[in-house]
Amino acid sequence: DAHPEETANPVTGWSIHWGDASPTEAFTGDPGAATHLYADGPHAYTVAASAMTRDGWFAAPSLNVTVNDVPPALQVSGASTAYQFEPYTLTLGYADPSPTDLFDPPQS
């Protein structure tokens, strides 16, 4: 059962600062959940949220979030057979899900 104070003074909105460079997000009502997409890792962020009631804004405890880096997906392909003294060619590729990563292949 809801506490009497909860029904007499419901949450009417949320404000969430995700801790990254994105703008603070405002939510109307009490959605119960909010989703955010972090652009890159590894990085630690502090999320700050506040709820609005008719009595004003109330800050929730902050939450520390660690965002891990997603490594690039590497592809290597080539013929399954090779002949001695003949050049053998590998096809190399990568895909990085993070638009902010700078992928510099190692130099040989």
Side-chain angles (χ1 to χ4, degrees):
D1 289 339
H3 189 276
E5 181 64 22
E6 291 175 3
T7 56
N9 196 10
V11 170
T12 58
W14 285 89
S15 174
I16 301 176
H17 177 68
W18 298 101
D20 58 5
S22 65
T24 299
E25 246 183 300
F27 297 88
T28 302
D30 192 9
T35 303
H36 183 67
L37 181 65
Y38 286 99
D40 200 19
H43 201 283
Y45 299 101
T46 300
V47 178
S50 296
M52 171 65 119
T53 71
R54 70 172 183 218
D55 293 330
W57 286 98
F58 296 91
S62 62
L63 177 66
N64 294 321
V65 176
T66 300
V67 177
N68 296 316
D69 190 37
V70 177
L74 304 177
Q75 300 96 27
V76 178
S77 62
S80 59
T81 59
Y83 298 97
Q84 64 182 6
F85 305 115
E86 293 284 326
Y88 177 78
T89 303
L90 283 177
T91 301
L92 308 173
Y94 73 94
D96 194 333
S98 172
T100 61
D101 279 351
L102 298 175
F103 182 71
D104 294 319
Q107 301 299 314
S108 55

